[in-house]
């Protein structure tokens, strides 16, 4: 069955380290999104992509980057991890066109110490 | 940009009662309004959505209403059950340009007591 996966599911890192969170989907969806979820803030968009080689900044993009070299993957990189980036990160994808539903991955809990 | 406000932040009901969650949005160009349910420790999942060309949509015990003039939409859950306990998020998006970027509300924690 087609699915969307994230790895790792849990990560503890130190301040200043570079961290990459993986997101992989097998639906062949054009659209992929990264969100962070914090208590009281809901889901906030970090970066998104509408296809290969396309990336765009969301509302909380500072300190994060993404790249889209193929349809299936959108890795999220924290260039220099900060304690304020401790959060749960969700990747999502949607088919585009008239298909608006976003399918979420299982999430990655990141702790920056 | 779009801003979505959601109320209440927490809602406690007795099993069998109805629950209503309300959202307002700011961008009159928004035309797609989904609702997601997130159980504890799980991923958000779409439960119902509505597009701006209709005013109401129902799916069994859940329904969504949209008032474009007032820029607000609501989720209605009837005959609540303990398994309805979760966090519910509303969202808004403008899709005419082909983009599907969602702006989410801050969530409502619904607790259904037996």
């Amino acid at each position: 069955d087609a699915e969307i996966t994230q790895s790792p599911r849990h990560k503890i890192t130190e301040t200043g380290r570079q961290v990459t969170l993986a997101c992989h989907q097998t639906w062949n969806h054009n659209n992929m999104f990264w969100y962070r979820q914090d208590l009281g803030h809901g889901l906030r968009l970090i970066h998104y992509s509408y296809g290969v080689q396309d990336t765009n900044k969301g509302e909380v993009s500072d300190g994060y980057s993404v790249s889209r070299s193929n349809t299936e993957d959108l890795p999220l990189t924290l260039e220099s991890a900060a304690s304020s980036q401790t959060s749960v990160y969700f990747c999502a994808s949607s088919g585009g066109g008239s298909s608006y539903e976003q399918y979420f991955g299982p999430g990655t809990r990141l702790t920056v110490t | 940009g779009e801003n979505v406000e959601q109320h209440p932040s927490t809602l406690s009901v007795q099993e069998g009662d109805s629950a209503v969650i309300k959202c307002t949005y700011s961008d009159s160009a928004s035309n797609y309004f989904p609702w997601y349910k997130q159980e504890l420790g799980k991923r958000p999942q779409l439960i119902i959505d509505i597009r701006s060309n209709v005013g109401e949509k129902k799916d069994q015990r859940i329904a969504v209403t949209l008032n474009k003039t007032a820029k607000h939409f609501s989720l209605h859950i009837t005959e609540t059950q303990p398994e309805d306990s979760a966090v519910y998020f509303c969202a808004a998006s403008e899709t005419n340009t082909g983009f599907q970027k969602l702006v989410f509300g801050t969530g409502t924690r619904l607790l259904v007591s037996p």
Side-chain angles (χ1 to χ4, degrees):
Chain A
D1 286 342
E3 61 178 353
I4 180 168
T5 58
Q6 294 182 235
S7 62
R9 296 294 313 280
H10 302 272
K11 175 78 175 177
I12 300 174
T13 191
E14 295 177 345
T15 300
R17 289 191 179 269
Q18 184 180 79
V19 177
T20 296
L21 309 183
C23 175
H24 179 79
Q25 54 95 3
T26 58
W27 283 300
N28 202 36
H29 283 168
N30 286 325
N31 304 335
M32 296 185 74
F33 309 85
W34 273 104
Y35 298 91
R36 60 176 290 174
Q37 184 173 38
D38 305 288
L39 196 61
H41 291 281
L43 292 151
R44 292 182 292 174
L45 185 63
I46 305 171
H47 281 287
Y48 56 104
S49 168
Y50 292 128
V52 176
Q53 302 301 329
D54 176 75
T55 61
N56 306 277
K57 293 181 179 180
E59 65 176 302
V60 291
S61 61
D62 287 350
Y64 303 94
S65 64
V66 294
S67 62
R68 187 90 181 269
S69 58
N70 59 51
T71 301
E72 296 80 17
D73 300 290
L74 187 71
L76 177 72
T77 297
L78 286 69
E79 305 294 345
S80 178
S83 58
S84 60
Q85 294 177 308
T86 292
S87 186
V88 178
Y89 291 85
F90 285 99
C91 177
S93 71
S94 68
S98 61
S99 175
Y100 303 146
E101 179 176 356
Q102 291 190 16
Y103 297 86
F104 284 79
T108 294
R109 182 175 296 277
L110 177 67
T111 302
V112 183
T113 61
Chain B
E2 176 65 275
N3 182 54
V4 177
E5 295 190 357
Q6 182 171 349
H7 299 281
S9 56
T10 59
L11 179 59
S12 294
V13 300
Q14 292 293 122
E15 183 177 1
D17 289 349
S18 295
V20 180
I21 303 170
K22 299 182 179 181
C23 289
T24 60
Y25 61 99
S26 61
D27 188 351
S28 57
S30 289
N31 58 1
Y32 174 65
F33 308 94
W35 286 88
Y36 283 80
K37 175 183 180 182
Q38 185 179 28
E39 297 176 353
L40 189 62
K42 300 291 182 64
R43 71 189 79 187
Q45 292 190 299
L46 180 73
I47 55 171
I48 194 167
D49 57 14
I50 192 168
R51 305 189 186 189
S52 59
N53 58 345
V54 297
E56 184 176 5
K57 183 177 179 180
K58 290 183 179 180
D59 183 3
Q60 299 183 344
R61 295 187 297 109
I62 61 173
V64 56
T65 58
L66 171 65
N67 183 324
K68 289 166 49 180
T69 302
K71 286 192 257 181
H72 67 70
F73 56 112
S74 300
L75 178 70
H76 304 254
I77 306 174
T78 59
E79 300 174 18
T80 54
Q81 301 169 1
E83 52 264 39
D84 294 328
S85 296
V87 178
Y88 292 81
F89 292 97
C90 64
S93 176
E94 186 278 306
T95 63
N96 289 333
T97 58
F99 299 140
Q100 300 176 358
K101 187 175 56 169
L102 291 174
V103 177
F104 284 86
T106 52
T108 296
R109 183 174 300 278
L110 174 64
L111 177 61
V112 181
S113 302

